[in-house]
Amino acid sequence: MNEKMDDGDMLFKKSLPILPADNFKSLHDNLAALSARALIEFVSEGFEKGRIDGEKQSPSLVSYCSKITKNDSEILKDDGLSQILGKIRAFSPFPGAYIFFGSKRVKLLEAVYEHATLRITKVKPEGKGEMTCK
């Protein structure tokens, strides 16, 4: 560890693809399962056998994300389709990307992008439960 953000050597690394259907929850769950398996592998294969070689991180890949606020998950009229889909996937199921429909907040929980069209498939209107968009 050192004073810089994401600058220390990596001792072990695993990756997994982010699928088009993934959202915050599915990615969280997949990474948690991968992390558990990776920790066991690191301890048994690397640490116990003394095979730990640090790998420098590329400074060009380091990024910083400020604290996410509720306003960040609002879908704005100027947002492009890919930005809208990104917000829906990033904030689903919590806190939920949202729009205002009249004076009511409607969370957009699921969407698919097909044939150059964004189709909202699951919503949660204010004061109601989750439902299909129909």
Side-chain angles (χ1 to χ4, degrees):
M1 293 182 77
N2 60 36
E3 296 83 23
K4 295 181 182 175
M5 174 95 46
D6 287 336
D7 189 57
D9 290 354
M10 292 183 290
L11 299 180
F12 199 73
K13 176 173 72 172
K14 290 286 185 182
S15 62
L16 61 84
I18 299 175
L19 304 173
D22 277 332
N23 63 18
F24 168 76
K25 183 180 182 330
S26 65
L27 191 56
H28 169 276
D29 294 350
N30 291 338
L31 286 170
L34 177 67
S35 297
R37 292 189 307 270
L39 180 59
I40 292 167
E41 186 179 339
F42 169 71
V43 170
S44 64
E45 296 298 319
F47 188 73
E48 287 181 352
K49 295 179 181 175
R51 296 185 197 145
I52 301 173
D53 297 316
E55 179 183 335
K56 293 278 184 204
Q57 296 190 66
S58 171
S60 65
L61 299 177
V62 174
S63 62
Y64 177 76
C65 180
S66 60
K67 184 176 180 179
I68 296 171
T69 68
K70 196 170 204 173
N71 291 341
D72 293 327
S73 61
E74 181 178 5
I75 295 174
L76 306 171
K77 64 179 179 180
D78 295 332
D79 289 345
L81 291 181
S82 63
Q83 190 173 8
I84 293 170
L85 182 58
K87 284 182 178 182
I88 292 169
R89 291 175 64 199
F91 297 115
S92 184
F94 182 81
Y98 66 91
I99 59 170
F100 283 100
F101 190 73
S103 63
K104 300 283 186 182
R105 182 186 308 249
V106 178
K107 290 182 181 182
L108 308 181
L109 300 176
E110 199 174 274
V112 292
Y113 183 77
E114 39 188 32
H115 310 295
T117 302
L118 185 66
R119 186 169 51 88
I120 309 300
T121 56
K122 189 181 287 185
V123 297
K124 183 180 183 308
E126 189 175 329
K128 307 255 183 193
E130 288 184 17
M131 58 183 71
T132 63
C133 195
K134 289 181 182 181

